[in-house]
Amino acid sequence: MITWDEIDFERKLIRLPAGRVKNKSGHTIHLSAPALAIIQSIPQREGHGNLFGTGPRPFSGFSKAKAAVDKRIADLTAAEPKDWRLHDLRKHADTMMRER
């Protein structure tokens, strides 16, 4: 989750504090022009400090989203999708990016 106060629009950065980073060391993410444009297109909602999500917490409903994806796969392929987890997408992306 990224909060609006972690984004520095002038310097085009996201600064994650040490307490939110796995290695307990602060982390700075430099934003490309397209990434910055996407972030700037997201409306800030009063009472919600998180960049993404619509509820009080950043994300929820992963099981409902996965069920919707599974249904879409079944509709498009006329077959039930193989057993998979959302985590598989991260692993696959990591593998593909390392091969480039």
Side-chain angles (χ1 to χ4, degrees):
M1 100 186 124
I2 298 171
T3 61
W4 285 104
D5 61 346
E6 294 170 339
I7 303 167
D8 184 335
F9 287 100
E10 289 182 24
R11 292 190 175 96
K12 301 176 184 172
L13 302 170
I14 295 174
R15 295 180 192 267
L16 299 176
R20 290 204 334 98
V21 180
K22 188 174 182 177
N23 66 5
K24 304 297 181 205
S25 179
H27 186 70
T28 300
I29 302 164
H30 297 270
L31 297 169
S32 65
L36 189 61
I38 291 169
I39 291 171
Q40 288 173 325
S41 74
I42 299 171
Q44 291 188 35
R45 296 170 322 241
E46 189 173 327
H48 293 274
N50 297 318
L51 177 64
F52 300 109
T54 57
R57 296 175 49 167
F59 292 104
S60 65
F62 285 104
S63 59
K64 289 180 185 177
K66 184 181 178 302
V69 170
D70 285 345
K71 182 179 179 335
R72 180 90 187 245
I73 291 169
D75 291 347
L76 291 172
T77 64
E80 290 297 315
K82 294 179 181 179
D83 187 36
W84 67 280
R85 305 284 182 263
L86 290 171
H87 180 75
D88 297 336
L89 299 176
R90 188 210 57 82
K91 293 189 307 186
H92 181 69
D94 180 55
T95 300
M96 296 303 293
M97 287 187 280
R98 289 174 190 268
E99 291 178 0
R100 302 281 169 195

